């Protein structure tokens, strides 16, 4: 069965139970040298899978159904709101409210939420007519894949980055540096290589693979390919990194347990990609054009998620300051004001994206360009975390565990010396451990690094903004100002 045949097999909105069951699909997934069966049942992945299951179940809650889902007029199926192609500004704003709800539930910690990845599938759908200019099959494939994902409410991942082997060498000289097409045959294309930092791959149904912008201009055509595959495709090997949830020290890791999305390496061991799964092939110019186009909505959803992360950091910093009686100090209020300003600015960026939105040549309403605000977000991410760290200071490093709090010899000392202002030792411990997890432990450091790298190469993004920024009017005014004055013949003789 091809993707073009799938409407009759559509399963509609995902449920938590169905999601867990569908992860048991025979994929070749490894963690710490061991092959994993169903990741939803493995202790390293189960808490995050359960949290995703909880969130998708909210789509069926009568209180949230209208916000989180929509009815496709073509099929009559009720689908996830994130998969709705926005055709008007109001459609886009409804998607914003839906994404705001999701990311508030996840405290802004899910960078690769299903809402984020669904918006990239919408982008592929919007770009289908341009893909069809290279090959009519590719445009039809893109539309069919989008419908397949939407009508089955699939959880997606995407793979862009190449292995960090030798970035000074061109892949043409060392083909292992990038995923490449080995051959084309009557069934499809065969690819070999790897992709790194494929976030959420161990917990996703499918992966979308497309060309990384970092190397788009210096590759041979065999490296230019877009396609999508189920993560249980034969020859596709997923290597998960070490989990960041930490040991189960009682209340120590509430975020890492729920929201460690798992980053992974994908190894393509001569994988056959059927023709109906190929969207673009050997066309670097079209690939470069498409990179920005298909990510227009995901960049917008990414800002929604980042705003919620900033709100979480601000609320945590405020509670920590209050718990030790420093919230009235001028320097602390200044720090909290800076963090509040960051959160407020993300709201402005979202409003600006909507105000600058327009209908694309694919027929959808796309947010305006968000490149400068994405660069700003990466630039302030470390500062936002540092504010929380600075307010908590040394208290972030030593807080009692659940076992310490339960010990009769220790508890009197904890109640006397590790309490806070109007807060007992246990509650203060939970709060400070949450702050540490956001900013200092493995999970917090991963989240901080993610904010810096996931929007792409920062230097390249700055250069691209500079190159396309229209300076013509300002340049003309300045050139007139510094031009030598005109001298008439009479003035020259006097």
């Amino acid at each position: 069965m091809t993707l073009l045949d799938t409407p009759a097999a559509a399963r509609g909105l995902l449920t938590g139970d169905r999601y867990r069951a569908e992860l048991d699909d025979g994929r070749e997934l490894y963690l710490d040298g061991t092959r994993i069966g169903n990741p939803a049942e493995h202790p390293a992945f189960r808490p995050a899978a359960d949290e995703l299951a909880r969130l998708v179940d909210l789509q069926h809650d009568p209180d949230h159904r209208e916000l989180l889902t929509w009815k496709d007029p073509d099929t009559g199926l009720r689908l996830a709101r994130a998969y709705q192609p926005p055709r008007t500004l109001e459609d886009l704003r409804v998607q914003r409210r839906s994404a705001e709800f999701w990311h508030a539930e996840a405290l802004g910690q899910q960078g690769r939420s299903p809402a984020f990845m669904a918006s990239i599938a919408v982008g592929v759908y919007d770009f289908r007519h341009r893909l069809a200019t290279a090959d009519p099959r590719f445009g039809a494939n893109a539309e069919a894949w989008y419908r397949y994902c939407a009508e089955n409410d699939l959880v997606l991942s995407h793979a862009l980055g190449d292995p960090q082997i030798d970035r000074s060498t061109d892949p043409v000289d060392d083909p292992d540096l990038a995923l490449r097409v080995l051959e084309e045959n009557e069934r499809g294309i065969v690819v070999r290589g790897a992709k790194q930092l494929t976030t959420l791959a161990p917990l996703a149904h499918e992966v979308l693979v497309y060309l990384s912008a970092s190397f788009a201009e210096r590759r041979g055509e065999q490296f230019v390919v877009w396609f999508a595959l189920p993560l249980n495709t034969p020859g596709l090997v997923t290597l998960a990194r070490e989990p960041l949830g930490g040991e189960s020290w009682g209340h120590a890791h509430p975020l890492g347990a729920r929201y460690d999305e798992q980053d992974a390496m994908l190894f393509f061991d001569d994988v056959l990609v059927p023709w109906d799964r190929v969207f673009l092939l050997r066309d670097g110019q079209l690939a470069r054009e498409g990179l920005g186009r298909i990510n227009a909505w995901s960049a917008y959803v990414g800002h929604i998620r980042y705003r919620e992360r900033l709100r979480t950091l601000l609320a945590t910093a405020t509670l920590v300051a209050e718990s030790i009686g420093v919230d009235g100090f001028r320097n602390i209020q200044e720090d909290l004001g800076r963090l509040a300003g960051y959160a407020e600015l993300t709201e402005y960026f979202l409003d600006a994206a909507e105000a600058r939105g327009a209908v694309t040549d694919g027929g959808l309403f796309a947010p305006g360009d968000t490149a400068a605000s994405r660069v700003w977000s990466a630039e302030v991410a470390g500062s936002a975390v540092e504010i929380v760290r600075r307010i908590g200071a040394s208290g972030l490093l030593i807080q009692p565990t659940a076992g310490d709090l339960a010990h009769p010899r220790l508890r009197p000392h904890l109640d006397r010396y590790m309490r806070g202002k109007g807060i007992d030792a246990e509650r203060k411990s939970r709060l400070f451990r949450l702050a540490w997890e956001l900013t200092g432990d493995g999970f917090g450091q991963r989240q901080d690094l993610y904010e810096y790298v996931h929007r792409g190469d920062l230097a390249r993004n700055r250069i691209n903004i500079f190159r396309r920024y229209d300076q013509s009017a300002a340049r003309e005014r300045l050139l007139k100002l510094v031009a030598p004055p005109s001298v008439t013949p009479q003035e020259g003789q006097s």
Side-chain angles (χ1 to χ4, degrees):
M1 178 178 288
T2 70
L3 287 178
L4 297 175
D5 300 323
T6 56
R11 290 161 291 174
L13 285 175
L14 195 62
T15 67
D17 287 343
R18 196 184 101 204
Y19 168 64
R20 294 185 191 91
E22 287 175 352
L23 291 178
D24 188 15
D25 58 6
R27 65 187 60 197
E28 195 172 353
L29 169 63
Y30 293 88
L31 173 65
D32 193 28
T34 300
R35 183 168 179 176
I36 306 301
N38 183 356
E41 297 177 353
H42 189 279
F45 305 102
R46 184 172 56 238
D50 285 345
E51 179 64 12
L52 280 168
R54 181 187 75 83
L55 290 168
V56 299
D57 274 339
L58 291 174
Q59 299 177 128
H60 301 272
D61 187 324
D63 291 339
H64 309 305
R65 184 170 178 260
E66 290 304 315
L67 177 63
L68 300 180
T69 69
W70 65 293
K71 183 174 283 189
D72 184 350
D74 295 332
T75 64
L77 284 173
R78 187 159 285 277
L79 307 175
R81 178 71 71 181
Y83 276 114
Q84 181 180 5
R87 301 190 182 278
T88 66
L89 174 58
E90 182 52 33
D91 285 346
L92 186 66
R93 285 175 171 164
V94 172
Q95 280 205 348
R96 173 175 171 175
R97 293 193 291 272
S98 176
E100 284 171 343
F101 176 88
W102 180 287
H103 287 298
E105 286 285 323
L107 301 174
Q109 302 304 305
Q110 286 184 336
R112 285 298 175 272
S113 70
F116 177 89
M117 285 306 306
S119 68
I120 296 180
V122 168
V124 172
Y125 171 75
D126 180 66
F127 200 58
R128 66 196 185 284
H129 69 293
R130 293 291 297 125
L131 298 172
T133 62
D135 188 323
R137 294 177 300 173
F138 297 162
N141 292 347
E143 179 170 358
W145 179 73
Y146 155 76
R147 294 195 180 280
Y148 173 67
C149 293
E151 292 173 5
N152 293 281
D153 201 9
L154 298 188
V155 175
L156 306 175
S157 178
H158 66 166
L160 292 87
D162 296 292
Q164 290 178 315
I165 299 173
D166 183 356
R167 292 288 172 88
S168 69
T169 301
D170 196 290
V172 172
D173 300 321
D174 184 352
D176 284 340
L177 298 180
L179 185 76
R180 67 190 187 278
V181 178
L182 290 181
E183 65 171 276
E184 302 176 32
N185 57 47
E186 68 281 359
R187 294 187 297 162
I189 61 174
V190 178
V191 297
R192 178 187 295 172
K195 287 287 185 180
Q196 76 173 35
L197 203 65
T198 310
T199 302
L200 200 65
L203 297 171
H205 292 100
E206 297 225 355
V207 61
L208 172 66
V209 179
Y210 51 110
L211 184 68
S212 169
S214 301
F215 303 98
E217 296 181 357
R218 62 186 183 103
R219 286 190 165 163
E221 64 174 16
Q222 72 268 32
F223 302 105
V224 181
V225 60
W226 290 10
F227 61 87
L229 286 175
L231 281 152
N232 65 347
T233 298
L236 177 54
V237 179
T238 303
L239 174 64
R241 61 154 166 75
E242 181 180 359
L244 298 175
E247 297 292 340
S248 299
W249 295 110
H251 54 262
H253 298 278
L255 297 178
R258 293 176 177 87
Y259 303 119
D260 184 7
E261 297 178 297
Q262 269 290 347
D263 308 297
M265 288 289 296
L266 296 185
F267 305 115
F268 295 82
D269 189 11
D270 294 5
V271 172
L272 174 68
V273 182
W275 279 119
D276 69 312
R277 289 293 192 140
V278 178
F279 310 138
L280 185 150
L281 186 63
R282 304 185 191 279
D283 191 333
Q285 182 175 350
L286 186 60
R288 287 189 291 274
E289 176 190 342
L291 279 170
R293 281 288 301 275
I294 70 172
N295 286 291
W297 293 270
S298 67
Y300 172 79
V301 172
H303 272 308
I304 295 170
R305 195 272 316 162
Y306 187 53
R307 181 189 61 182
E308 196 59 42
R309 173 168 166 80
L310 288 170
R311 286 176 169 177
T312 296
L313 289 168
L314 173 60
T316 302
T318 303
L319 288 169
V320 166
E322 291 172 352
S323 76
I324 54 176
V326 300
D327 52 305
F329 293 7
R330 182 179 176 85
N331 63 311
I332 299 297
Q333 290 186 345
E334 181 184 7
D335 274 344
L336 293 173
R338 182 178 292 111
L339 196 45
Y342 293 163
E344 184 74 4
L345 279 171
T346 57
E347 190 81 20
Y348 299 160
F349 293 146
L350 289 165
D351 291 344
E354 291 174 358
R356 295 183 175 188
V359 176
T360 71
D361 54 6
L364 302 189
F365 190 90
D369 181 50
T370 59
S373 52
R374 294 199 305 273
V375 166
W376 173 88
S377 297
E379 289 173 336
V380 304
S383 174
V385 168
E386 178 57 30
I387 288 171
V388 182
R389 204 181 280 136
R390 187 160 58 239
I391 293 173
S394 60
L396 298 178
L397 297 175
I398 177 63
Q399 290 297 326
T401 67
D404 295 333
L405 289 160
H407 198 286
R409 173 75 170 118
L410 292 173
R411 185 61 186 253
H413 296 294
L414 303 182
D415 287 336
R416 185 171 186 176
Y417 299 114
M418 300 195 77
R419 59 190 169 88
K421 179 184 178 182
I423 185 172
D424 64 23
E426 181 170 351
R427 192 170 182 85
K428 182 186 174 187
S429 171
R430 289 178 179 275
L431 174 61
F432 270 68
R433 283 181 172 276
L434 176 67
W436 173 247
E437 195 178 16
L438 274 171
T439 64
D441 75 354
F443 175 79
Q445 291 297 311
R446 182 268 176 196
Q447 299 296 82
D448 187 26
L449 181 59
Y450 173 88
E451 296 298 349
Y452 186 78
V453 303
H454 91 95
R455 297 172 181 88
D457 180 80
L458 195 55
R460 185 197 69 232
N461 291 342
R462 290 188 184 115
I463 291 168
N464 288 340
I465 293 170
F466 163 69
R467 285 176 173 173
R468 66 172 178 260
Y469 190 82
D470 184 5
Q471 299 188 63
S472 56
R475 285 170 58 91
E476 184 177 350
R477 288 191 292 269
L478 290 175
L479 289 173
K480 286 181 180 179
L481 185 65
V482 301
S486 300
V487 179
T488 65
Q490 292 81 7
E491 291 172 334
Q493 294 171 1
S494 59

